[in-house]
Amino acid sequence: MQELDFSEQIAALRSTFRDILSVIDVDELKTRIDDLSAQAGVPDLWDDTEKAQKVTSALSHAQADLAKVTSITSRLEDLEIMVELINSEGDEESAQEAQAELESLTKLLGELEVQTLLNGEYDPRAAVITIRAGAGGVDAADFAEMLLRMYLRYSEQHGYSVTVLDTSYAEEAGIKSATFEVDAPYAFGTLSVEAGTHRLVRMSPFNSAGKRQTSFAAVEVIPLIAQTESVDVPESDIRVDVFRSSGPGGQSVNTTDSAVRITHLPTGIVVSCQNEKSQIQNRAAALRVLQSRLLLLQRDEENAKKKELAGVITASWGDQMRSYVLAPYQMVKDLRTDYESNNPSNVFDGELDGFISAGIRWRKQKVA
């Protein structure tokens, strides 16, 4: 048996691992796990189901990340020992196991390396994905449904929590659009590289002449921005003026300075209230109105930010970022990264890791 020599590959993996550890703070990760474990151990945690699911999900993912990091060192050392034993004993079967372990470690370190590139402002957030059928008629609607299934399968394979928020079905087949939420750490950072126009080329099952058909679908990915249900208004941010109420009299409404005008200094929003009998009541009512207006303003700003992050996606000719070709040959190719797969069936079954990793690296190089 030919002697195995993995020295260069193992040295390269160790170098990559050192770079990863320089970014991932293992001590901070352990502290986070301790904090989440404490939250998960609270007796009344499941009184709030949504909060409990987020805590347990975050804990599970953090523990998985730590397990990956802590296992790599020992696995690299074990691989070196395995190679030495194989070369001394000439075990062909063990040589195949060593090759498989090398490939497994290479993939694992590649995934961790990509994760360290997710350092954008919104990257840690959950993602909201919308798929829309574009040009191509019935085929486009069918393609949109194929993409929906692809992303749901991808999320299922990675243990991501998915909630389908809305689906609009087409008349003949497929969907006009669908929106779903992927709730997992760094879901937006990971899946945002999937945003853009996707193109499908195939022999149309909806064409009686069996002609080749090209269709398009748009994928929009935005971060899930937390919606604050109340707005804290510091006293230093407001100016309160009191004045005599106007309008119908009676019960001292027009005889005391009970009306209140509140000016929010940072935004210039002005709210007045004079309906209540006392200044205290009018102030409380005016403050509630101010909080409501600030909440609406906050949400308008968040929606504008979401639209900016989503970008403009036309879902038509000349705008595609990835092509799925089923005829006359079989290939899926990302036109930005040149990453490709010759097995479209696996891709539509959710095997997107290669495309997503290549997309994240491409994005990082583009920004650098």
Side-chain angles (χ1 to χ4, degrees):
M1 187 191 80
Q2 185 177 356
E3 185 174 290
L4 286 180
D5 184 10
F6 290 166
S7 57
E8 289 187 11
Q9 293 96 319
I10 293 175
L13 291 178
R14 287 190 181 280
S15 176
T16 300
F17 190 38
R18 284 194 295 271
D19 291 340
I20 291 171
L21 290 178
S22 69
V23 177
I24 296 177
D25 189 332
V26 176
D27 291 336
E28 183 181 343
L29 184 58
K30 290 178 179 178
T31 301
R32 174 172 166 76
I33 290 173
D34 290 340
D35 179 55
L36 290 169
S37 297
Q39 293 182 47
V42 175
D44 60 353
L45 173 69
W46 287 95
D47 290 349
D48 185 341
T49 305
E50 184 178 351
K51 178 183 177 181
Q53 289 175 339
K54 288 184 176 180
V55 169
T56 54
S57 176
L59 176 60
S60 175
H61 282 93
Q63 289 173 330
D65 287 343
L66 182 61
K68 287 179 185 178
V69 170
T70 54
S71 70
I72 288 174
T73 300
S74 60
R75 287 179 65 181
L76 284 170
E77 293 174 353
D78 290 345
L79 179 58
E80 289 180 322
I81 295 171
M82 185 187 298
V83 171
E84 290 177 5
L85 290 173
I86 290 169
N87 287 332
S88 63
E89 298 176 2
D91 187 343
E92 186 70 38
E93 185 176 341
S94 295
Q96 294 177 1
E97 293 179 7
Q99 181 65 46
E101 176 66 356
L102 177 65
E103 293 174 359
S104 175
L105 279 168
T106 301
K107 180 181 178 182
L108 178 58
L109 281 163
E111 291 173 354
L112 282 175
E113 186 180 24
V114 167
Q115 186 174 319
T116 64
L117 301 178
L118 301 178
N119 54 7
E121 179 183 359
Y122 293 95
D123 283 354
R125 306 247 184 174
V128 177
I129 301 176
T130 299
I131 301 171
R132 301 191 313 271
V138 181
D139 278 278
D142 188 52
F143 180 36
E145 188 170 38
M146 291 166 66
L147 291 178
L148 173 62
R149 177 183 178 276
M150 180 179 77
Y151 290 120
L152 294 181
R153 290 296 301 274
Y154 168 83
S155 299
E156 178 185 345
Q157 291 167 15
H158 288 76
Y160 297 162
S161 174
V162 176
T163 304
V164 178
L165 304 174
D166 179 61
T167 305
S168 175
Y169 291 94
E171 294 180 3
E172 187 171 341
I175 59 174
K176 295 178 181 178
S177 65
T179 299
F180 58 98
E181 177 187 327
V182 181
D183 189 2
Y186 291 90
F188 174 71
T190 302
L191 291 167
S192 56
V193 295
E194 290 295 296
T197 298
H198 296 240
R199 170 178 172 255
L200 174 68
V201 180
R202 65 174 176 178
M203 304 302 291
S204 173
F206 306 103
N207 188 312
S208 58
K211 294 182 178 179
R212 190 169 61 178
Q213 177 74 31
T214 299
S215 54
F216 299 87
V219 175
E220 176 189 88
V221 186
I222 60 175
L224 182 64
I225 297 178
Q227 298 284 350
T228 306
E229 293 306 320
S230 62
V231 178
D232 181 34
V233 184
E235 287 291 331
S236 59
D237 283 355
I238 60 175
R239 185 180 71 243
V240 180
D241 299 310
V242 295
F243 57 97
R244 184 160 297 182
S245 301
S246 60
Q251 298 278 317
S252 73
V253 169
N254 292 332
T255 60
T256 61
D257 290 335
S258 59
V260 172
R261 180 186 299 110
I262 298 179
T263 303
H264 187 245
L265 301 176
T267 62
I269 294 175
V270 179
V271 177
S272 299
C273 186
Q274 58 179 331
N275 293 333
E276 303 296 339
K277 297 178 182 179
S278 75
Q279 184 183 122
I280 294 175
Q281 290 173 316
N282 279 326
R283 188 183 191 282
L287 189 59
R288 286 196 300 271
V289 174
L290 175 62
Q291 287 176 317
S292 297
R293 290 192 178 178
L294 288 174
L295 181 59
L296 288 175
L297 178 63
Q298 181 186 74
R299 291 180 175 176
D300 286 343
E301 290 173 348
E302 289 172 354
N303 288 333
K305 185 65 176 177
K306 288 178 182 179
K307 289 180 181 178
E308 178 185 337
L309 289 165
V312 178
I313 304 169
T314 61
S316 60
W317 288 100
D319 191 41
Q320 63 268 18
M321 46 77 78
R322 184 178 301 156
S323 289
Y324 305 74
V325 181
L326 305 184
Y329 53 88
Q330 301 267 314
M331 184 181 71
V332 180
K333 182 171 183 177
D334 194 294
L335 305 180
R336 305 162 304 175
T337 65
D338 287 333
Y339 186 90
E340 62 183 57
S341 169
N342 294 321
N343 195 330
S345 295
N346 286 350
V347 175
F348 281 121
D349 275 339
E351 292 190 10
L352 292 170
D353 287 324
F355 288 97
I356 289 174
S357 295
I360 292 172
R361 295 178 192 278
W362 167 83
R363 179 176 61 192
K364 190 67 176 181
Q365 292 172 353
K366 187 178 179 183
V367 172

